[in-house]
Amino acid sequence: MAVINMSKNQKINMTKEDGTAVRNFFIGVNWDQNRYAGESDIDFDIHGFLTQSDRKVAYPQDIVNYNTYNQSDYPWVEFSGDNRTGEDSSGIVFDGKHYDEYFIVHADQFPADRTEFSVCLTIFRAVQRLQNFGMVNNAIMTICDYDNPSGDKYEYDLSENEKFEDLNAVEMGRLYKYGNGFKFQALGSGYVGGMTELFKNFGLDIDEGRD
């Protein structure tokens, strides 16, 4: 099948070839650090925010990331864990391609009292380390049917955002309930100010601290 490039705000029905709903979603992110990155490694982190229509979350139960994840508390999602450098020694090889960090979302176990799962990307302590997305290449998010990886894959290239190089946090997209299944919408909403500014969008006030 095909790799389909998504554009900002595009929505797709997450269905199989026979029209039935996808039950398990693979959402992977990969990136390459470039020569302008400076002395510190670029530590990308994916975050999942579990929300209702008001897009507000409670901490920590509505957030899936390196700081909150415990498999027993989140049976509906699998998380790769933290890849601090983007090196291929961490992450996963899925259908022949390496992904630095990823989620596998199980629709049948998705919380009944929540309607969407927003997938975001940040650079850890970006403000303190003076880092932004201009210091990486090939930052791409992929979503597909986990049970049929040879089917269509949808990719969203974050560099399509004309302001991408100045950003250090971005809401890549949201997986949301639609009928008996789910849709995915590519968003590309960017932030300058790292995790702190991103988390404000979900009703939280955090302090990343200092190196």
Side-chain angles (χ1 to χ4, degrees), residues 34 41 91:
N34 68 31
D41 287 326

mmCIF file with all atom_site columns, all heavy atoms in Angstrom, residues 34 41 91:
data_model
loop_
_atom_site.group_PDB
_atom_site.id
_atom_site.type_symbol
_atom_site.label_atom_id
_atom_site.label_alt_id
_atom_site.label_comp_id
_atom_site.label_asym_id
_atom_site.label_entity_id
_atom_site.label_seq_id
_atom_site.pdbx_PDB_ins_code
_atom_site.Cartn_x
_atom_site.Cartn_y
_atom_site.Cartn_z
_atom_site.occupancy
_atom_site.B_iso_or_equiv
_atom_site.pdbx_formal_charge
_atom_site.auth_seq_id
_atom_site.auth_comp_id
_atom_site.auth_asym_id
_atom_site.auth_atom_id
_atom_site.pdbx_PDB_model_num
ATOM 1  N N   . ASN A 1 34 ? 20.985 17.519 13.538 1.00 0.00 ? 34 ASN A N   1
ATOM 2  C CA  . ASN A 1 34 ? 21.865 18.015 12.487 1.00 0.00 ? 34 ASN A CA  1
ATOM 3  C C   . ASN A 1 34 ? 23.114 18.686 13.066 1.00 0.00 ? 34 ASN A C   1
ATOM 4  O O   . ASN A 1 34 ? 23.296 18.776 14.274 1.00 0.00 ? 34 ASN A O   1
ATOM 5  C CB  . ASN A 1 34 ? 21.117 18.937 11.515 1.00 0.00 ? 34 ASN A CB  1
ATOM 6  C CG  . ASN A 1 34 ? 20.681 20.252 12.151 1.00 0.00 ? 34 ASN A CG  1
ATOM 7  O OD1 . ASN A 1 34 ? 21.335 20.784 13.049 1.00 0.00 ? 34 ASN A OD1 1
ATOM 8  N ND2 . ASN A 1 34 ? 19.573 20.804 11.665 1.00 0.00 ? 34 ASN A ND2 1
ATOM 9  N N   . ASP A 1 41 ? 22.909 17.016 23.318 1.00 0.00 ? 41 ASP A N   1
ATOM 10 C CA  . ASP A 1 41 ? 22.016 16.214 22.494 1.00 0.00 ? 41 ASP A CA  1
ATOM 11 C C   . ASP A 1 41 ? 20.624 16.849 22.460 1.00 0.00 ? 41 ASP A C   1
ATOM 12 O O   . ASP A 1 41 ? 20.202 17.494 23.415 1.00 0.00 ? 41 ASP A O   1
ATOM 13 C CB  . ASP A 1 41 ? 21.904 14.793 23.049 1.00 0.00 ? 41 ASP A CB  1
ATOM 14 C CG  . ASP A 1 41 ? 23.163 13.975 22.810 1.00 0.00 ? 41 ASP A CG  1
ATOM 15 O OD1 . ASP A 1 41 ? 23.806 14.179 21.768 1.00 0.00 ? 41 ASP A OD1 1
ATOM 16 O OD2 . ASP A 1 41 ? 23.494 13.138 23.669 1.00 0.00 ? 41 ASP A OD2 1
ATOM 17 N N   . GLY A 1 91 ? 14.228 2.912  20.925 1.00 0.00 ? 91 GLY A N   1
ATOM 18 C CA  . GLY A 1 91 ? 13.040 2.971  20.087 1.00 0.00 ? 91 GLY A CA  1
ATOM 19 C C   . GLY A 1 91 ? 12.645 1.598  19.585 1.00 0.00 ? 91 GLY A C   1
ATOM 20 O O   . GLY A 1 91 ? 12.835 0.590  20.262 1.00 0.00 ? 91 GLY A O   1
#
